[in-house]
Amino acid sequence: MDIYGFWRDVLAQKADAIRTYFDQSAYINWHCTNEHFTVEEFVLANCEYPGDWDGEVERLERANDLFITVTRVYSQDRTLSFHVTSFIKVLNGKIAALDEYWADDGAAPEWRLDKHIGTAIK
């Protein structure tokens, strides 16, 4: 399974290519918004999302048939930025299940800034 290729095609919103990574009976869960998708629904949601996107896999871990990625996703004009943690279960070379947790990138909340705690990661 080419995880980096999967992410390149997802970010480029290449519907036909995205479909090739999935088993026919696969499901996708976006836990932060409580949404459960079939492959076709996922392709529609991903490919019709407005804007042009780019990103990079910042971390990849593997435990047997489970790939875990942390990917930074951002608009090509760099006005929007997100991080997504993905748990990708692969069986017979195809994605059988994809569980994702999306978060907006942004500044720490004011109450923590006021306490002068923590430092920037990068």
Side-chain angles (χ1 to χ4, degrees), residues 2-121:
D2 179 6
I3 296 297
Y4 293 100
F6 168 71
W7 271 108
R8 276 191 303 275
D9 289 336
V10 166
L11 292 168
Q13 297 174 305
K14 294 181 178 177
D16 290 337
I18 294 168
R19 287 183 186 96
T20 67
Y21 293 96
F22 287 93
D23 181 81
Q24 280 185 306
S25 62
Y27 65 87
I28 299 89
N29 290 329
W30 285 352
H31 293 270
C32 297
T33 52
N34 193 31
E35 293 175 276
H36 176 83
F37 298 108
T38 65
V39 173
E40 284 305 312
E41 291 170 332
F42 171 77
V43 169
L44 182 68
N46 184 77
C47 294
E48 292 195 13
Y49 197 91
D52 296 313
W53 298 92
D54 206 346
E56 61 185 320
V57 176
E58 294 182 341
R59 183 171 181 174
L60 171 62
E61 302 289 337
R62 184 174 182 181
N64 300 317
D65 63 356
L66 181 67
F67 292 84
I68 303 162
T69 62
V70 177
T71 305
R72 180 171 174 237
V73 176
Y74 49 87
S75 57
Q76 286 187 359
D77 66 6
R78 304 287 179 131
T79 59
L80 299 171
S81 181
F82 308 91
H83 272 85
V84 57
T85 302
S86 304
F87 295 84
I88 306 166
K89 185 173 182 162
V90 175
L91 297 174
N92 301 317
K94 299 283 187 177
I95 298 172
L98 173 60
D99 287 276
E100 292 188 323
Y101 301 83
W102 285 80
D104 293 340
D105 291 339
E110 195 64 39
W111 71 268
R112 282 204 305 271
L113 294 173
D114 290 345
K115 292 191 177 297
H116 304 286
I117 59 174
T119 59
I121 295 169

